[in-house]
Amino acid sequence: MAEQNIPGTGSGYDPQKIEEKWQKRWAEARVFESEADPSKPKYYVLEMLPYPSGTLHMGHMRNYTIGDVVARVKRMRGFNVMHPMGWDAFGLPAENAAIKNNTHPREWTNKNIAEFQRVLRRFGFSYDWRREISTCAPEYYRWNQWFFLRMLERRLAYRKKSRVNWCPKCCTVLANEQVVNGGYCWRHEDTLVESREIEQWFLKTTAYAEQLLDDLKQLEGGWPERVILMQRNWIGKSQGAKVKFVVADVAGAGAIEVFTTRIDTIYGATAVILAPGHPLLPKLLEDSPARAEADAKLAKMRQASVKTEDLATMEKEGFFTGRYALNPFSGENVPIWVGNFVLMEYGTGAIMAVPAHDQRDLEFCRKYGLSVRVVVQPPEGEPLIEEKITAAFDEHQQGKLVNSGPYSGLSPQEAIAKMAAFAEQKGFGRSETIFRLKDWGISRQRYWGTPIPVVYCSKDGVVPVPDKDLPVLLPPNPKLTGMGESPLASTPEFVYTTCPKCGGPARRETDTMDTFVDSSWYFYRYCDPHNDTAPYDSAKAAYWFPIDQYIGGITHAILHLLYSRFWCKVMRDLGLIMHNEPAARLFTQGMVQKGGVAMSKSRGNVVGAEEMARKYGADTGRLYTLFAAPPEKDLEWSEESIEGSWRFLNRVYRLVERHGHAVRRVKSSAGDLTGVQDPERNLLRKTHQTLRRVTSDFESRWHFNSAIALIMELVNEIYAQEPLEECVRPGAMKEMLVIVTLMLAPMVPHLAEELWEMLGHSDGLWQERWPDYDPKLEKEIEVEVVVQVNGRVRGKFLAPAGLRESDLVERATSEQSVAPHVSGKRIVKKIVVPDKLVNLVVA
Ligand SMILES: [Zn+2]
Ligand SMILES: [Zn+2]
């Protein structure tokens, strides 16, 4: 740290002064404001909108810096750029904080928004603040309600009684995805989630299951493969068949329908296994000898809900119901069991266990001593022997059927078609495609969310609130306790209303919407944030959409993105838009870690964004987060490297400070290179080579870190030739400094503007285009090098000028015409004339 210029000493580079100055100029010149204009090419870059809670730390800033660099580069490239920012402002933390501090959630939220806004402005992010939205504003959530009503009209919103995950601490329903670690609340990792049955509102995401899956193809190349795969698995399409097993020994119990993707293995089914919540179970257990034992086991199984991704690894538990069911193909009675790994929400809530051909079934059957029967033999190798199987043979569509009555000898593929047809003909089964994707339960028993716009009338039932009465406003003074049903239910002035249909007394729905509703379409509102007659103007959306670059954390790879894709398709079918997918490209940035773990307030390892700006300036913070790691990788925070970034910016500042005066009035030009000598020639070449590589790092793969490294290297080479004025003409000097400044502009925009001014420009850098490199200048000069061995010319080759001695010798000895004269011999002497001659003496 030998550098003179320590942050805060006020000499030379003063980021506090510079940053404030340029932020003011940009705002005055309205540099970042853009309007839909079909005559210009557009670019819509967006970072996922933040939840305004806690303190903005450098983990957040990395995300916004990446987005800002992209926005600024695209502006310099001549695009009409939209880069907006807003707030995901509804949600539990506001409500919990309000309960704790006895304030209103709105107060807490607005305070946080003001704070977030201040810090984002301090970092100079190029947002069009006129487009700012806040999802808790009635002008916004009104349109959530409007969309809900449209979905209600199209039966895409419906109400049903359903079993839900209930967190006793949150006192609200949780989505399946909010149940983590095999049954705990995502917010309360020590609280087991319970299962309860209540009336809920659902959005019919399953109506779009096929499209949500198919359209993933359109996103290939633009979205990370990993995210596409996660979405595909979440939607979880399976082709198979449903088959009925009639309950054999309980009169009137009917049949158990199982779903299987392998009907061809049905002769190998040695049990039927039900989900713990299967509706037939009480009847089966009624007079069963297994009854007493069953109750205790069921209670345990029902307590925690199971997530599909845990199924493969979880310990399989089960018990025998004492009952049997008839396999409709083999005519055999098989035992009916209950298993914790069978989910009521998937398929029919019942499976047939085929242990020889399904690993999960095998583990279960071995554990409980159920028999194993081979019905498909592999195409090659040793035939399977039932007693010895440790791994199920579950290769799809391979091998031949055995022990399968009239189907023996068929391939699995032939058998699947024939058996499904037979089942259909006999009326006990049919082919079917099922999805893992469920409808989206949106009811939440909390205050701080969008009220669901329906009323309940004793005469008319469920009555939608008419559009003209939207928004249904949240009551201003709720009683928030965090307990029991929705706080809206204990606010009489909200609950009691009149029926829009008959005018009689009615009650309002008191649940609010899941906050994922808010974030499902917010990016459309940015196109037209103040529209009070529609969610947005379709022409504006048609111009700006799809989003050209969406940036956010991998944590949103499933839910937020799936719900927004669903919403997009609904809006398309409502005629609001024409496209199928909201975002053409998605980027998921790495995390910022400190001490090996992600920065988070609860871990106490955050580096506050504001503290960073105060100490080093926003530009150093921006540069560091870009330089420390490639954007997709995790970044380990290092105070030393920040010092490095700070020193680099100081070096650039001093370079321009030293030479700015000399070049202010000069035209920036490299001019004609004839007669120009090194080091000027060399520096110009290096400058244009750097520009070419930095351009490609920005455009194609976002290698911001390597772009910065290249610029640092260039600056070092320029420094190495000091005093510059003695060896470089002013026009060329200006050219180099201008290019360095423009290359830095997207990353450290405040400093770049200041340097631009120091170089004699009176118009802001923000009006500048990205420079083009000069192919003539960046090209290496080639020289012809002659190779002699023991004094005789043996060959010649072309090489870039200025190659090092060792490189020249290596090139010389590997020349085809030279190699025979040196191979197997010892080189006793090398005489090298740079750029001209390699003379080797061998013995
Ligand atoms: Zn909870
Ligand atoms: Zn009525």
Side-chain angles (χ1 to χ4, degrees):
M1 255 140 286
E3 300 281 332
Q4 297 283 305
N5 193 7
I6 299 303
T9 57
S11 65
Y13 174 38
D14 181 354
Q16 307 302 332
K17 223 168 90 192
I18 290 177
E19 290 173 2
E20 198 189 327
K21 165 181 163 186
W22 289 103
Q23 283 161 18
K24 225 173 121 218
R25 293 264 185 99
W26 293 329
E28 282 162 9
R30 307 165 72 136
V31 175
F32 310 126
E33 299 179 7
S34 55
E35 297 299 340
D37 178 353
S39 71
K40 294 185 200 155
K42 65 92 184 179
Y43 198 89
Y44 184 179
V45 53
L46 180 68
E47 301 104 59
M48 289 179 184
L49 90 172
Y51 183 79
S53 153
T55 312
L56 274 173
H57 56 70
M58 290 310 291
H60 301 113
M61 301 324 258
R62 184 185 194 195
N63 182 4
Y64 305 132
T65 303
I66 293 168
D68 197 52
V69 171
V70 174
R72 286 175 181 272
V73 168
K74 291 296 173 185
R75 272 190 212 100
M76 290 178 85
R77 287 261 171 207
F79 286 91
N80 186 23
V81 172
M82 175 156 79
H83 188 210
M85 180 44 71
W87 319 107
D88 191 12
F90 270 142
L92 266 183
E95 195 160 335
N96 290 340
I99 293 165
K100 205 169 138 201
N101 309 323
N102 199 22
T103 56
H104 194 284
R106 186 177 301 282
E107 220 170 280
W108 184 87
T109 306
N110 286 342
K111 196 177 108 257
N112 284 327
I113 288 177
E115 173 80 10
F116 269 44
Q117 222 213 50
R118 197 168 51 75
V119 178
L120 293 183
R121 283 179 186 274
R122 177 67 192 81
F123 268 70
F125 297 128
S126 60
Y127 299 127
D128 183 348
W129 284 107
R130 301 167 311 153
R131 297 183 184 274
E132 178 183 5
I133 59 167
S134 172
T135 59
C136 68
E139 307 81 67
Y140 183 84
Y141 71 70
R142 163 188 186 176
W143 300 108
N144 286 345
Q145 295 173 341
W146 185 88
F147 280 122
F148 177 88
L149 293 175
R150 299 293 83 77
M151 291 196 212
L152 193 59
E153 286 161 6
R154 282 160 182 76
R155 303 219 174 118
L156 288 171
Y158 67 94
R159 199 161 172 260
K160 76 167 181 200
K161 202 163 199 165
S162 73
R163 227 162 232 296
V164 293
N165 306 304
W166 178 271
C167 171
K169 264 203 191 148
C170 295
C171 291
T172 190
V173 169
L174 302 180
N176 280 336
E177 304 72 52
Q178 294 166 334
V179 181
V180 297
N181 304 332
Y184 292 84
C185 172
W186 67 325
R187 291 194 189 284
H188 304 104
E189 295 198 356
D190 58 342
T191 305
L192 259 181
V193 172
E194 296 167 6
S195 173
R196 282 198 188 176
E197 190 150 81
I198 53 175
E199 286 272 358
Q200 298 274 293
W201 281 99
F202 285 84
L203 300 183
K204 212 166 167 46
T205 40
T206 55
Y208 288 87
E210 199 80 62
Q211 284 183 43
L212 286 166
L213 190 67
D214 283 351
D215 290 351
L216 286 173
K217 290 192 203 93
Q218 297 176 21
L219 303 175
E220 280 167 16
W223 283 35
E225 263 173 55
R226 162 161 89 125
V227 174
I228 292 181
L229 187 68
M230 284 161 93
Q231 293 249 322
R232 185 166 288 137
N233 290 341
W234 191 259
I235 297 164
K237 181 179 178 174
S238 304
Q239 251 141 353
K242 283 183 179 170
V243 183
K244 285 178 182 154
F245 284 62
V246 174
V247 178
D249 46 0
V250 182
I256 295 165
E257 196 172 37
V258 304
F259 176 80
T260 174
T261 56
R262 293 293 306 274
I263 192 174
D264 56 311
T265 62
I266 198 165
Y267 281 83
T270 54
V272 163
I273 308 178
L274 306 181
H278 197 284
L280 214 53
L281 206 48
K283 180 104 184 161
L284 296 181
L285 290 173
E286 213 165 26
D287 298 311
S288 165
R291 169 82 195 267
E293 210 192 339
D295 282 347
K297 287 185 172 159
L298 273 178
K300 198 179 150 209
M301 284 186 195
R302 279 177 180 159
Q303 192 173 34
S305 57
V306 177
K307 284 214 300 182
T308 320
E309 46 274 39
D310 302 330
L311 288 178
T313 51
M314 66 187 283
E315 178 64 22
K316 282 139 198 88
E317 303 277 353
F319 63 89
F320 178 42
T321 61
R323 305 298 184 191
Y324 291 84
L326 184 75
N327 181 328
F329 277 86
S330 67
E332 191 180 6
N333 275 331
V334 296
I336 304 172
W337 281 66
V338 174
N340 64 342
F341 65 100
V342 182
L343 300 185
M344 204 52 232
E345 306 81 49
Y346 185 72
T348 58
I351 63 159
M352 60 181 203
V354 186
H357 305 291
D358 181 287
Q359 189 60 32
R360 211 172 50 187
D361 296 351
L362 182 65
E363 284 165 24
F364 187 82
C365 290
R366 287 284 191 233
K367 177 169 178 178
Y368 291 107
L370 291 160
S371 59
V372 175
R373 185 176 308 146
V374 173
V375 289
V376 182
Q377 284 293 359
E380 52 205 21
E382 292 289 304
L384 297 175
I385 299 169
E386 275 145 15
E387 304 75 54
K388 292 189 182 160
I389 295 176
T390 51
F393 174 65
D394 54 4
E395 297 291 320
H396 273 250
Q397 312 191 336
Q398 273 195 39
K400 264 199 168 58
L401 267 67
V402 294
N403 299 326
S404 296
Y407 303 96
S408 295
L410 295 180
S411 73
Q413 216 165 347
E414 292 166 319
I416 285 172
K418 289 200 167 157
M419 292 164 100
F422 180 73
E424 186 143 14
Q425 186 199 334
K426 293 286 174 190
F428 60 75
R430 63 186 183 282
S431 295
E432 196 147 312
T433 302
I434 63 160
F435 290 90
R436 201 191 135 199
L437 181 72
K438 295 292 143 216
D439 284 341
W440 175 11
I442 59 158
S443 295
R444 297 291 181 273
Q445 293 68 44
R446 299 301 296 230
Y447 168 75
W448 197 229
T450 304
I452 295 173
V454 297
V455 304
Y456 301 101
C457 166
S458 55
K459 216 171 103 218
D460 300 305
V462 178
V463 182
V465 173
D467 284 4
K468 67 172 175 53
D469 295 338
L470 298 184
V472 175
L473 290 170
L474 283 170
N477 299 307
K479 227 170 45 219
L480 300 177
T481 60
M483 311 296 265
E485 57 178 348
S486 169
L488 296 183
S490 49
T491 311
E493 63 274 27
F494 178 83
V495 177
Y496 298 108
T497 183
T498 50
C499 169
K501 225 174 201 171
C502 69
R507 288 175 60 99
R508 280 191 195 280
E509 168 64 64
T510 56
D511 284 352
T512 52
M513 296 183 196
D514 181 5
T515 54
F516 274 112
V517 168
D518 308 328
S519 53
S520 287
W521 69 280
Y522 74 100
F523 30 58
Y524 286 88
R525 185 70 178 169
Y526 283 139
C527 296
D528 197 11
H530 308 295
N531 195 327
D532 58 3
T533 57
Y536 52 84
D537 176 62
S538 290
K540 288 180 180 164
Y543 174 74
W544 288 114
F545 272 81
I547 298 166
D548 295 278
Q549 185 65 63
Y550 198 21
I551 302 168
I554 189 78
T555 45
H556 296 293
I558 298 178
L559 286 192
H560 161 58
L561 293 171
L562 192 79
Y563 293 149
S564 348
R565 296 181 59 225
F566 159 74
W567 212 277
C568 173
K569 290 166 202 308
V570 172
M571 294 192 299
R572 178 201 60 200
D573 292 349
L574 289 172
L576 292 169
I577 51 174
M578 306 277 279
H579 53 273
N580 291 322
E581 289 289 335
R585 297 187 67 80
L586 171 72
F587 184 83
T588 51
Q589 84 280 359
M591 280 184 305
V592 175
Q593 305 184 329
K594 198 177 170 201
V597 288
M599 271 190 194
S600 88
K601 199 180 161 193
S602 60
R603 292 199 186 90
N605 65 343
V606 298
V607 176
E610 207 169 19
E611 166 198 339
M612 179 79 204
R614 219 178 296 126
K615 192 160 172 202
Y616 295 97
D619 279 341
T620 295
R622 295 171 58 119
L623 186 79
Y624 169 72
T625 58
L626 295 166
F627 181 52
E632 71 279 7
K633 294 270 165 55
D634 290 345
L635 178 163
E636 176 63 35
W637 192 261
S638 146
E639 199 68 26
E640 258 169 66
S641 314
I642 296 166
E643 293 279 349
S645 295
W646 160 252
R647 283 198 303 272
F648 169 65
L649 294 185
N650 274 280
R651 269 166 84 75
V652 177
Y653 183 89
R654 282 198 307 274
L655 186 67
V656 175
E657 193 177 38
R658 194 173 303 148
H659 301 289
H661 280 292
V663 302
R664 281 182 74 90
R665 291 173 204 291
V666 178
K667 249 187 93 185
S668 148
S669 78
D672 185 1
L673 275 187
T674 1
V676 174
Q677 298 299 313
D678 282 345
E680 177 178 328
R681 192 182 186 108
N682 200 22
L683 283 179
L684 279 170
R685 185 184 315 123
K686 179 85 186 173
T687 304
H688 281 268
Q689 283 174 346
T690 304
L691 176 57
R692 174 174 57 79
R693 293 168 66 186
V694 167
T695 303
S696 106
D697 281 342
F698 274 5
E699 287 291 304
S700 53
R701 295 189 54 198
W702 292 14
H703 284 177
F704 305 129
N705 55 324
S706 71
I708 295 166
L710 287 167
I711 301 170
M712 287 176 167
E713 205 184 299
L714 173 63
V715 169
N716 283 344
E717 290 214 12
I718 297 174
Y719 259 96
Q721 300 304 332
E722 287 281 29
L724 277 184
E725 54 277 23
E726 288 175 12
C727 57
V728 179
R729 295 166 305 160
M733 201 192 294
K734 183 149 183 179
E735 166 109 352
M736 291 182 247
L737 297 178
V738 157
I739 288 177
V740 167
T741 302
L742 290 174
M743 286 191 297
L744 285 171
M747 301 182 283
V748 290
H750 311 88
L751 173 62
E753 290 278 7
E754 186 72 14
L755 300 177
W756 192 248
E757 197 176 67
M758 288 156 71
L759 287 167
H761 302 98
S762 51
D763 290 341
L765 184 154
W766 70 78
Q767 300 171 55
E768 283 304 303
R769 287 280 183 268
W770 185 259
D772 289 321
Y773 71 91
D774 184 335
K776 259 198 343 273
L777 282 177
E778 72 103 31
K779 212 172 143 206
E780 295 286 353
I781 298 166
E782 285 199 320
V783 289
E784 192 181 65
V785 181
V786 173
V787 189
Q788 290 181 350
V789 181
N790 290 346
R792 295 182 61 178
V793 175
R794 294 297 186 187
K796 45 186 88 163
F797 61 89
L798 289 173
L803 221 52
R804 284 181 308 175
E805 209 174 297
S806 56
D807 292 333
L808 283 172
V809 171
E810 202 190 310
R811 285 285 299 269
T813 52
S814 59
E815 273 301 297
Q816 226 174 9
S817 59
V818 177
H821 303 281
V822 295
S823 76
K825 293 178 183 152
R826 198 164 54 86
I827 298 172
V828 290
K829 200 172 180 192
K830 302 171 219 167
I831 305 146
V832 177
V833 182
D835 291 350
K836 288 204 172 74
L837 176 80
V838 177
N839 188 358
L840 303 170
V841 179
V842 300

